[in-house]
Amino acid sequence: MSDLVIHVVDLVREYQMGAERIQALRGVSLEIRRNEYVAIMGPSGSGKSTMMNVLGCLDTPTSGEYWLAGQEVSRLSDDALARIRNREIGFVFQTFNLLPRATALQNVELPLVYGGVGGRDRRDRARRALERVGLGNRMDHRPNELSGGQRQRVAIARALVNEPAILLADEPTGNLDSTTSADVMRVFDRLQTQGQTIVLVTHEAEIAAHADRVVTLRDGRIASDLRQDRTRAA
Amino acid sequence: MLRNIDEGVLIALESLRVNKLRSTLTILGVVIGVATVMTMASIVEGIRTQVFNAVNAAVPNVFYVMRWFGATPFDPSNPPYEVRIRPVLTENDAAAIARAPLVRHAALWCRFSSRIEFEDSRTQITEVWGSDERFIELQGGTLLAGRLFAPSEVRTGAPVTILASDVARSIFGRLDPVGRYVRMGNRALQVIGIWHPPDNAFRQPGATTGAFVPYRMAKGSFRFDETRELFVVVLGDLSVSVGDVRDQATVALRRFRGLRPGLPNTFDTITQDQMLQMVDRLTGAFFLVMIALSGVSLLVGGIGVMAIMMVSVTSRTREIGTRKALGATRQESLWQFLVEAATLTLVGGSIGILVGLGMGEVMKAGLAIDARPPLWSAAAAVVVSIAIGLGFGLYPANRAARMDPVEALRHE
């Protein structure tokens, strides 16, 4: 049990769209252990995004259980979920979602601000996170002074800074060219070897190839769950 | 939550900088509202200080007896019943008061308005006092040239006058006025002296005392309102309080008019403290009206802030989603936008304070009053402008706080 970071049982998520009721997830069960490197794949409409939202505690399931780091989170209030997201989940978005007016360091500090970490400690931790992604020399740059790959690395540093239980990346290379994509994926690979649990949501096989395990969704259900030998860039 | 204040303030200042015109228009209402209150506060405080100084500096043991003293104006040709039942003051009333203990001097005086003319030059309509030989003792100021009224001139109502120094300068220029004749109405009056008013006396624009004449001369030749412009001026003994002298004068006049105990007074006594209170009441009402008016512009400013915050919340939907994903609670999102709105209005309020101070300086120069806005009005302006930001920012901030993070992150 202590080894299970994510434990999902029979997860259902329905939406009301006008008169229609849409089932985005139709009973998904999944276990992810510490330090696993998992890719969640599937065509659009497969429930991939919904799965990512529920796993990221941005959304709650209609029914089913979701245990995150030993805590049942499927029935928590908005604010309790905000606290869980702050502590246990590090988000990396396709569009980076950095604050344009803030420096790299200030962006990385943001989760610590909401986590109640103050002053010098906050700055030190943010600085270390930026150094981990190789941006120790770009801390005072604003997002528009950074390349796409650098921006995504700032976002990864921001996701890491609270030492979350999982790093949850949604199409992290969707807005990057292939060279920078490889660059960013190398960062993920290295973090995983350092012990980080990573969940990638992607539709690109090339990206999914970095993971140890590929979970494929189709029509709101798990179509396959395969372990693989990862390909790693040198 | 407090740890987010600096961030909210910085964001607000940044958006002020980036959208200069939009922000200026947004906070304009707050600026105007606060500036109005500040200016009015300076004027009211200035007037009050002037009156207070005049009252304190003039002659503290002087008070007045009038037929009627009230804040409500009425038509002098048709006074209301409660005024009409009171007898008009006479010189005998003044003589009765003069006989009371502790009273050093009491005389019937009046005030009227007239132009003062010499050859081709004439003044505006100015205030003239019908008084007696002791008016400097009671009104302050100094005699610059010539002499005061002789007792015989007062007794006979001789056609003589003492001019205020500025009046003398304006119509005589460099001529020596003493001994020459001026016209007031259809009377020719010989100038016998020049009077310099006290420096610190309260002078409303247009209500400057232009000249003094003997009371009996004024009574015989000029028209004035017997209720408000005819009064007994009383100088009390300095060794006792003005209240004690007033009590003595009241007893003396009641006895002279044959009022039995239990009957109300048929006259009013007005000490300078009461005049001050009256000024306070009038300026208080004035002030309330101004506060109501500036309240309107603060309201408009608040609505502007609300509109701009709605725009800000909408255009930063994705940022709100990101912040929520990173762990911002509803309260923290709410707080972020409240701080931003309050910073906007605080900036507006601060500018308003500066504008108000500037207006105060202009007033000081223009009205010749010492208009210094009181400290409390600046403090109140700061508090009010922050409160407006919080109040009108609440709706947009609440919208941000209640956003669904999934929707917000999907927002383009």
Side-chain angles (χ1 to χ4, degrees):
Chain A
M1 184 69 208
S2 66
D3 206 26
L4 272 186
V5 178
I6 288 179
H7 180 47
V8 162
V9 183
D10 207 17
L11 211 60
V12 173
R13 181 66 172 98
E14 294 176 343
Y15 293 103
Q16 198 72 37
M17 287 277 245
E20 246 181 306
R21 169 162 286 206
I22 293 170
Q23 279 202 318
L25 295 176
R26 309 167 183 242
V28 174
S29 296
L30 183 67
E31 291 183 355
I32 295 176
R33 292 180 186 280
R34 174 155 301 142
N35 203 19
E36 266 196 290
Y37 197 173
V38 181
I40 296 177
M41 295 195 71
S44 58
S46 61
K48 199 172 44 165
S49 298
T50 307
M51 188 66 189
M52 134 102 194
N53 289 338
V54 173
L55 289 182
C57 292
L58 292 166
D59 195 6
T60 49
T62 311
S63 68
E65 292 171 31
Y66 176 15
W67 296 79
L68 173 63
Q71 188 182 359
E72 161 65 302
V73 296
S74 60
R75 302 282 174 269
L76 293 180
S77 71
D78 284 358
D79 281 349
L81 285 175
R83 293 276 164 249
I84 296 281
R85 289 196 293 271
N86 184 252
R87 276 201 309 271
E88 309 290 1
I89 298 165
F91 285 97
V92 178
F93 303 98
Q94 179 176 357
T95 50
F96 323 138
N97 290 357
L98 300 175
L99 302 187
R101 292 171 298 262
T103 64
L105 189 68
Q106 286 166 338
N107 266 291
V108 177
E109 281 184 40
L110 199 55
L112 297 171
V113 169
Y114 292 122
V117 180
R120 196 191 195 96
D121 190 22
R122 181 162 89 200
R123 224 173 357 266
D124 288 346
R125 282 170 67 175
R127 193 172 289 137
R128 257 179 278 134
L130 277 167
E131 280 160 2
R132 276 181 80 183
V133 299
L135 284 178
N137 54 345
R138 292 284 187 277
M139 291 197 267
D140 295 323
H141 292 235
R142 287 169 191 239
N144 61 6
E145 299 162 337
L146 298 171
S147 71
Q150 287 172 330
R151 286 182 210 182
Q152 194 59 302
R153 271 146 63 193
V154 173
I156 294 171
R158 182 178 67 182
L160 283 175
V161 74
N162 258 352
E163 289 157 17
I166 54 169
L167 200 60
L168 192 55
D170 181 18
E171 305 282 8
T173 59
N175 277 13
L176 301 174
D177 62 44
S178 53
T179 323
T180 24
S181 292
D183 218 29
V184 164
M185 289 317 295
R186 261 199 300 278
V187 174
F188 280 112
D189 295 348
R190 197 173 63 240
L191 292 173
Q192 195 268 334
T193 59
Q194 290 166 358
Q196 182 66 52
T197 312
I198 298 175
V199 177
L200 296 171
V201 178
T202 182
H203 67 276
E204 285 180 70
E206 230 176 287
I207 299 304
H210 284 257
D212 296 324
R213 177 182 168 195
V214 178
V215 176
T216 308
L217 291 178
R218 184 158 289 123
D219 298 329
R221 291 197 175 87
I222 292 179
S224 66
D225 185 349
L226 301 170
R227 295 191 177 277
Q228 63 178 14
D229 286 333
R230 57 191 158 186
T231 55
R232 290 263 163 117
Chain B
M1 269 187 320
L2 279 170
R3 62 184 174 263
N4 291 339
I5 283 189
D6 52 345
E7 200 204 339
V9 171
L10 287 177
I11 288 175
L13 293 178
E14 176 75 10
S15 69
L16 272 171
R17 200 176 61 78
V18 174
N19 309 301
K20 281 192 193 71
L21 181 64
R22 194 184 75 180
S23 316
T24 309
L25 293 175
T26 304
I27 61 179
L28 193 60
V30 178
V31 172
I32 293 173
V34 168
T36 313
V37 176
M38 288 292 293
T39 311
M40 289 308 136
S42 345
I43 294 175
V44 169
E45 190 72 9
I47 290 175
R48 216 190 156 275
T49 311
Q50 295 270 315
V51 174
F52 190 77
N53 288 344
V55 164
N56 273 356
V59 192
N61 50 336
V62 168
F63 67 96
Y64 302 89
V65 179
M66 291 181 82
R67 183 191 193 189
W68 174 266
F69 179 72
T72 26
F74 55 82
D75 176 7
S77 61
N78 182 24
Y81 174 73
E82 66 267 28
V83 177
R84 263 178 302 156
I85 55 169
R86 294 180 165 194
V88 172
L89 288 165
T90 64
E91 291 193 64
N92 289 338
D93 289 330
I97 293 169
R99 285 192 297 272
L102 304 177
V103 172
R104 280 180 26 205
H105 182 64
L108 191 65
W109 284 15
C110 69
R111 229 167 26 192
F112 62 93
S113 298
S114 174
R115 289 182 193 279
I116 303 171
E117 302 171 54
F118 173 71
E119 292 178 351
D120 292 338
S121 42
R122 55 183 353 204
T123 63
Q124 299 291 311
I125 295 213
T126 179
E127 192 179 79
V128 182
W129 288 56
S131 62
D132 62 23
E133 73 276 16
R134 294 177 75 170
F135 76 87
I136 284 187
E137 234 179 294
L138 293 126
Q139 290 299 294
T142 48
L143 191 70
L144 287 184
R147 58 173 178 87
L148 294 171
F149 303 125
S152 63
E153 287 168 335
V154 170
R155 204 162 48 242
T156 59
V160 290
T161 182
I162 296 170
L163 296 183
S165 51
D166 51 339
V167 167
R169 203 176 314 115
S170 78
I171 58 173
F172 282 98
R174 292 158 74 179
L175 285 177
D176 180 9
V178 176
R180 295 176 197 275
Y181 284 83
V182 293
R183 281 188 307 281
M184 277 189 217
N186 54 8
R187 295 296 309 259
L189 304 175
Q190 188 179 25
V191 179
I192 60 164
I194 304 298
W195 169 75
H196 187 72
D199 290 327
N200 47 6
F202 172 50
R203 278 165 293 153
Q204 299 160 267
T208 322
T209 304
F212 293 88
V213 296
Y215 166 73
R216 283 182 177 172
M217 207 290 298
K219 186 178 187 318
S221 306
F222 295 94
R223 291 167 55 88
F224 48 86
D225 173 12
E226 291 181 326
T227 304
R228 286 175 307 171
E229 293 178 333
L230 181 67
F231 46 89
V232 177
V233 56
V234 185
L235 176 67
D237 199 288
L238 262 177
S239 61
V240 292
S241 79
V242 70
D244 290 345
V245 184
R246 188 184 55 183
D247 291 345
Q248 295 290 347
T250 303
V251 168
L253 188 54
R254 284 182 65 95
R255 189 178 303 140
F256 178 72
R257 287 187 170 182
L259 294 172
R260 280 195 299 273
L263 288 175
N265 286 346
T266 53
F267 54 90
D268 285 324
T269 56
I270 307 103
T271 60
Q272 305 191 8
D273 279 351
Q274 282 169 295
M275 286 165 90
L276 201 61
Q277 281 168 17
M278 179 107 156
V279 168
D280 271 352
R281 264 213 309 283
L282 289 172
T283 54
F286 176 64
F287 204 45
L288 279 183
V289 170
M290 290 321 296
I291 282 179
L293 287 180
S294 57
V296 173
S297 63
L298 287 178
L299 184 74
V300 172
I303 291 168
V305 168
M306 193 195 279
I308 233 61
M309 290 308 295
M310 293 298 287
V311 171
S312 178
V313 166
T314 308
S315 67
R316 279 155 62 196
T317 301
R318 191 191 278 259
E319 177 193 321
I320 295 164
T322 305
R323 286 171 177 274
K324 288 187 172 224
L326 299 181
T329 58
R330 284 186 174 201
Q331 206 182 17
E332 283 161 337
S333 298
L334 184 81
W335 190 241
Q336 180 197 343
F337 285 95
L338 283 183
V339 168
E340 212 176 305
T343 304
L344 271 176
T345 51
L346 180 60
V347 169
S350 309
I351 297 173
I353 289 174
L354 293 180
V355 172
L357 287 174
M359 295 289 284
E361 289 299 313
V362 172
M363 295 291 165
K364 203 146 105 178
L367 293 182
I369 59 171
D370 187 15
R372 189 164 301 126
L375 197 63
W376 64 260
S377 66
V382 167
V383 171
V384 166
S385 51
I386 290 177
I388 284 174
L390 294 180
F392 285 91
L394 197 59
Y395 178 71
N398 194 39
R399 241 177 63 135
R402 298 173 71 90
M403 270 182 193
D404 174 25
V406 174
E407 294 291 326
L409 279 168
R410 205 181 289 152
H411 191 267
E412 286 307 315

